[in-house]
CSV table of all heavy atoms in Angstrom, one decimal:
chain,number,residue,atom,x,y,z
K,30,ASN,N,131.1,97.4,133.3
K,30,ASN,CA,132.3,97.2,132.5
K,30,ASN,C,133.1,96.0,133.0
K,30,ASN,O,133.2,95.8,134.2
K,30,ASN,CB,133.2,98.5,132.7
K,30,ASN,CG,132.6,99.7,132.1
K,30,ASN,OD1,131.9,99.6,131.1
K,30,ASN,ND2,132.8,100.9,132.7
K,31,ASN,N,133.5,95.2,132.0
K,31,ASN,CA,134.3,94.0,132.4
K,31,ASN,C,135.8,94.3,132.1
K,31,ASN,O,136.2,94.3,130.9
K,31,ASN,CB,133.8,92.9,131.5
K,31,ASN,CG,134.5,91.6,131.9
K,31,ASN,OD1,135.7,91.5,131.9
K,31,ASN,ND2,133.7,90.6,132.2
K,32,VAL,N,136.5,94.7,133.1
K,32,VAL,CA,137.9,95.0,132.9
K,32,VAL,C,138.7,93.9,132.3
K,32,VAL,O,139.5,94.1,131.4
K,32,VAL,CB,138.5,95.5,134.3
K,32,VAL,CG1,140.0,95.8,134.2
K,32,VAL,CG2,137.8,96.8,134.8
K,33,PRO,N,138.6,92.6,132.8
K,33,PRO,CA,139.3,91.6,132.1
K,33,PRO,C,139.1,91.5,130.6
K,33,PRO,O,140.0,91.2,129.8
K,33,PRO,CB,138.9,90.3,132.9
K,33,PRO,CG,138.5,90.8,134.2
K,33,PRO,CD,137.9,92.1,134.0
K,34,LEU,N,137.8,91.7,130.2
K,34,LEU,CA,137.5,91.6,128.8
K,34,LEU,C,138.2,92.8,128.1
K,34,LEU,O,138.7,92.6,127.0
K,34,LEU,CB,136.0,91.7,128.6
K,34,LEU,CG,135.5,91.7,127.1
K,34,LEU,CD1,136.0,90.5,126.4
K,34,LEU,CD2,134.0,91.8,127.0
K,35,MET,N,138.2,93.9,128.6
K,35,MET,CA,138.9,95.1,128.0
K,35,MET,C,140.4,94.8,127.9
K,35,MET,O,141.0,95.1,126.8
K,35,MET,CB,138.7,96.4,128.9
K,35,MET,CG,137.2,96.7,129.1
K,35,MET,SD,136.7,97.9,128.0
K,35,MET,CE,135.1,98.3,128.8
K,36,GLN,N,140.9,94.2,128.9
K,36,GLN,CA,142.4,93.9,128.8
K,36,GLN,C,142.6,92.8,127.8
K,36,GLN,O,143.6,92.9,127.0
K,36,GLN,CB,142.9,93.4,130.2
K,36,GLN,CG,142.9,94.5,131.2
K,36,GLN,CD,143.1,94.0,132.6
K,36,GLN,OE1,142.9,92.8,132.9
K,36,GLN,NE2,143.5,94.9,133.5
K,37,ALA,N,141.7,91.8,127.7
K,37,ALA,CA,141.9,90.8,126.6
K,37,ALA,C,141.8,91.3,125.2
K,37,ALA,O,142.5,90.9,124.3
K,37,ALA,CB,140.9,89.7,126.9
K,38,LEU,N,140.9,92.3,125.1
K,38,LEU,CA,140.7,92.9,123.7
K,38,LEU,C,142.0,93.6,123.3
K,38,LEU,O,142.3,93.6,122.1
K,38,LEU,CB,139.6,93.9,123.8
K,38,LEU,CG,138.2,93.3,123.8
K,38,LEU,CD1,137.1,94.4,124.0
K,38,LEU,CD2,137.9,92.5,122.6
K,39,GLU,N,142.8,94.1,124.2
K,39,GLU,CA,144.1,94.7,123.8
K,39,GLU,C,145.1,93.7,123.3
K,39,GLU,O,146.0,94.0,122.6
K,39,GLU,CB,144.7,95.4,125.1
K,39,GLU,CG,143.9,96.6,125.5
K,39,GLU,CD,144.4,97.3,126.8
K,39,GLU,OE1,145.5,96.9,127.2
K,39,GLU,OE2,143.7,98.1,127.3
K,40,LEU,N,144.8,92.4,123.6
K,40,LEU,CA,145.7,91.3,123.2
K,40,LEU,C,145.3,90.6,122.0
K,40,LEU,O,146.0,89.8,121.4
K,40,LEU,CB,145.9,90.3,124.4
K,40,LEU,CG,146.5,90.8,125.7
K,40,LEU,CD1,146.4,89.8,126.8
K,40,LEU,CD2,147.9,91.4,125.5
K,41,THR,N,144.1,90.9,121.5
K,41,THR,CA,143.6,90.2,120.3
K,41,THR,C,144.3,90.8,119.1
K,41,THR,O,144.9,91.9,119.1
K,41,THR,CB,142.1,90.4,120.1
K,41,THR,OG1,141.8,91.8,120.0
K,41,THR,CG2,141.3,89.8,121.2
K,42,VAL,N,144.3,90.0,118.0
K,42,VAL,CA,144.9,90.4,116.7
K,42,VAL,C,143.8,90.4,115.7
K,42,VAL,O,142.8,89.8,115.8
K,42,VAL,CB,146.1,89.5,116.3
K,42,VAL,CG1,147.2,89.6,117.4
K,42,VAL,CG2,145.6,88.0,116.2
K,43,PRO,N,144.1,91.1,114.5
K,43,PRO,CA,143.1,91.1,113.4
K,43,PRO,C,142.9,89.6,113.0
K,43,PRO,O,143.8,88.8,113.1
K,43,PRO,CB,143.7,91.9,112.3
K,43,PRO,CG,144.7,92.8,113.1
K,43,PRO,CD,145.2,92.0,114.3
K,44,LYS,N,141.7,89.3,112.5
K,44,LYS,CA,141.4,87.9,112.1
K,44,LYS,C,142.3,87.4,111.1
K,44,LYS,O,142.6,86.2,111.0
K,44,LYS,CB,139.9,87.8,111.7
K,44,LYS,CG,139.5,88.5,110.5
K,44,LYS,CD,138.0,88.3,110.2
K,44,LYS,CE,137.5,89.1,109.1
K,44,LYS,NZ,136.1,88.9,108.9
K,45,GLU,N,142.9,88.3,110.2
K,45,GLU,CA,143.8,87.8,109.2
K,45,GLU,C,145.1,87.3,109.8
K,45,GLU,O,145.8,86.5,109.2
K,45,GLU,CB,144.1,89.0,108.2
K,45,GLU,CG,143.0,89.5,107.5
K,45,GLU,CD,142.1,90.5,108.3
K,45,GLU,OE1,142.5,91.1,109.3
K,45,GLU,OE2,140.9,90.6,107.9
K,46,GLU,N,145.4,87.7,111.0
K,46,GLU,CA,146.7,87.3,111.7
K,46,GLU,C,146.4,86.2,112.7
K,46,GLU,O,147.4,85.6,113.2
K,46,GLU,CB,147.3,88.5,112.4
K,46,GLU,CG,147.7,89.6,111.5
K,46,GLU,CD,148.2,90.9,112.2
K,46,GLU,OE1,148.7,90.7,113.4
K,46,GLU,OE2,148.2,92.0,111.6
K,47,ALA,N,145.2,85.9,113.0
K,47,ALA,CA,144.9,85.0,114.1
K,47,ALA,C,144.7,83.6,113.6
K,47,ALA,O,144.4,83.3,112.4
K,47,ALA,CB,143.5,85.4,114.7
K,48,GLY,N,145.0,82.6,114.4
K,48,GLY,CA,144.7,81.2,114.1
K,48,GLY,C,143.3,81.0,114.3
K,48,GLY,O,142.6,81.7,115.0
K,49,ASP,N,142.8,79.9,113.7
K,49,ASP,CA,141.4,79.6,113.8
K,49,ASP,C,141.1,79.1,115.2
K,49,ASP,O,141.9,78.3,115.8
K,49,ASP,CB,141.1,78.5,112.8
K,49,ASP,CG,139.6,78.1,112.7
K,49,ASP,OD1,138.8,79.1,112.8
K,49,ASP,OD2,139.3,76.9,112.7
K,50,ILE,N,139.9,79.4,115.7
K,50,ILE,CA,139.5,78.9,117.0
K,50,ILE,C,138.1,78.2,116.7
K,50,ILE,O,137.2,78.9,116.3
K,50,ILE,CB,139.3,80.0,118.0
K,50,ILE,CG1,140.6,80.7,118.3
K,50,ILE,CG2,138.7,79.5,119.3
K,50,ILE,CD1,140.5,82.0,119.2
K,51,ALA,N,138.1,77.0,116.8
K,51,ALA,CA,136.9,76.2,116.5
K,51,ALA,C,135.7,76.6,117.4
K,51,ALA,O,136.0,76.9,118.6
K,51,ALA,CB,137.1,74.7,116.6
K,52,ASP,N,134.5,76.5,116.9
K,52,ASP,CA,133.3,76.8,117.7
K,52,ASP,C,133.3,75.9,119.0
K,52,ASP,O,133.0,76.4,120.1
K,52,ASP,CB,132.1,76.6,116.9
K,52,ASP,CG,131.9,77.5,115.8
K,52,ASP,OD1,132.6,78.6,115.8
K,52,ASP,OD2,131.1,77.2,114.8
K,53,ASP,N,133.6,74.6,118.8
K,53,ASP,CA,133.6,73.7,119.9
K,53,ASP,C,134.6,74.1,121.0
K,53,ASP,O,134.4,73.9,122.2
K,53,ASP,CB,133.9,72.3,119.5
K,53,ASP,CG,132.7,71.7,118.7
K,53,ASP,OD1,131.6,72.2,118.8
K,53,ASP,OD2,132.9,70.7,118.0
K,54,THR,N,135.8,74.6,120.5
K,54,THR,CA,136.8,75.1,121.5
K,54,THR,C,136.3,76.2,122.4
K,54,THR,O,136.4,76.1,123.6
K,54,THR,CB,138.1,75.5,120.7
K,54,THR,OG1,138.5,74.4,120.0
K,54,THR,CG2,139.1,76.0,121.7
K,55,VAL,N,135.7,77.2,121.8
K,55,VAL,CA,135.3,78.4,122.6
K,55,VAL,C,134.1,77.9,123.5
K,55,VAL,O,134.1,78.3,124.7
K,55,VAL,CB,134.9,79.6,121.7
K,55,VAL,CG1,133.6,79.4,121.0
K,55,VAL,CG2,134.8,80.8,122.5
K,56,LEU,N,133.2,77.1,123.0
K,56,LEU,CA,132.1,76.6,123.9
K,56,LEU,C,132.7,75.8,125.0
K,56,LEU,O,132.2,75.9,126.1
K,56,LEU,CB,131.1,75.8,123.0
K,56,LEU,CG,130.3,76.7,122.1
K,56,LEU,CD1,129.5,75.8,121.2
K,56,LEU,CD2,129.4,77.6,122.8
K,57,GLY,N,133.6,74.9,124.7
K,57,GLY,CA,134.2,74.1,125.8
K,57,GLY,C,134.9,74.9,126.8
K,57,GLY,O,134.8,74.6,128.0
K,58,VAL,N,135.7,75.9,126.4
K,58,VAL,CA,136.4,76.8,127.4
K,58,VAL,C,135.4,77.6,128.2
K,58,VAL,O,135.5,77.7,129.5
K,58,VAL,CB,137.3,77.7,126.6
K,58,VAL,CG1,137.9,78.8,127.6
K,58,VAL,CG2,138.5,76.9,126.0
K,59,LEU,N,134.3,78.1,127.6
K,59,LEU,CA,133.3,78.8,128.4
K,59,LEU,C,132.6,77.9,129.4
K,59,LEU,O,132.4,78.3,130.5
K,59,LEU,CB,132.3,79.5,127.4
K,59,LEU,CG,132.8,80.6,126.6
K,59,LEU,CD1,131.8,81.0,125.5
K,59,LEU,CD2,133.3,81.8,127.4
K,60,SER,N,132.3,76.7,129.0
K,60,SER,CA,131.6,75.8,129.9
K,60,SER,C,132.6,75.4,131.0
K,60,SER,O,132.1,75.2,132.2
K,60,SER,CB,131.1,74.6,129.1
K,60,SER,OG,130.1,75.0,128.2
K,61,LEU,N,133.8,75.2,130.7
K,61,LEU,CA,134.8,74.7,131.7
K,61,LEU,C,134.9,75.7,132.8
K,61,LEU,O,135.1,75.4,134.0
K,61,LEU,CB,136.2,74.6,131.0
K,61,LEU,CG,137.3,74.1,131.9
K,61,LEU,CD1,137.0,72.7,132.4
K,61,LEU,CD2,138.6,74.2,131.1
K,62,PHE,N,134.8,77.0,132.5
K,62,PHE,CA,134.9,78.1,133.5
K,62,PHE,C,133.5,78.5,134.0
K,62,PHE,O,133.4,79.6,134.7
K,62,PHE,CB,135.7,79.3,132.9
K,62,PHE,CG,137.1,79.0,132.8
K,62,PHE,CD1,137.7,78.4,131.7
K,62,PHE,CD2,137.9,79.3,133.9
K,62,PHE,CE1,139.0,78.2,131.6
K,62,PHE,CE2,139.3,79.0,133.9
K,62,PHE,CZ,139.9,78.5,132.7
K,63,GLY,N,132.4,77.8,133.7
K,63,GLY,CA,131.1,78.1,134.2
K,63,GLY,C,130.4,79.3,133.6
K,63,GLY,O,129.5,79.8,134.2
K,64,ASN,N,130.8,79.7,132.4
K,64,ASN,CA,130.1,80.8,131.8
K,64,ASN,C,129.0,80.3,130.8
K,64,ASN,O,129.1,80.5,129.6
K,64,ASN,CB,131.2,81.6,131.0
K,64,ASN,CG,132.0,82.5,131.8
K,64,ASN,OD1,131.5,83.1,132.7
K,64,ASN,ND2,133.3,82.4,131.6
K,65,GLU,N,128.1,79.6,131.4
K,65,GLU,CA,127.0,79.0,130.7
K,65,GLU,C,126.1,80.1,129.9
K,65,GLU,O,125.7,79.8,128.8
K,65,GLU,CB,126.1,78.2,131.6
K,65,GLU,CG,126.8,77.1,132.3
K,65,GLU,CD,127.5,76.1,131.3
K,65,GLU,OE1,127.0,75.8,130.2
K,65,GLU,OE2,128.6,75.6,131.7
K,66,GLU,N,125.9,81.2,130.5
K,66,GLU,CA,125.1,82.3,129.9
K,66,GLU,C,125.8,82.8,128.6
K,66,GLU,O,125.2,82.9,127.6
K,66,GLU,CB,124.9,83.5,130.8
K,66,GLU,CG,124.0,83.1,132.0
K,66,GLU,CD,124.7,82.6,133.2
K,66,GLU,OE1,126.0,82.3,133.1
K,66,GLU,OE2,124.1,82.5,134.3
K,67,LEU,N,127.1,83.0,128.7
K,67,LEU,CA,127.9,83.4,127.6
K,67,LEU,C,128.0,82.3,126.5
K,67,LEU,O,127.9,82.6,125.3
K,67,LEU,CB,129.3,83.9,128.0
K,67,LEU,CG,130.1,84.6,126.9
K,67,LEU,CD1,129.4,85.8,126.4
K,67,LEU,CD2,131.4,85.1,127.6
Side-chain angles (χ1 to χ4, degrees):
N30 292 327
N31 185 308
V32 174
L34 179 57
M35 305 262 190
Q36 292 169 340
L38 287 173
E39 293 175 10
L40 300 174
T41 60
V42 296
K44 64 181 174 181
E45 298 79 25
E46 297 176 23
D49 185 43
I50 300 173
D52 296 341
D53 289 341
T54 300
V55 74
L56 289 172
V58 170
L59 291 172
S60 292
L61 182 67
F62 284 90
N64 285 313
E65 301 303 326
E66 294 88 349
L67 191 53

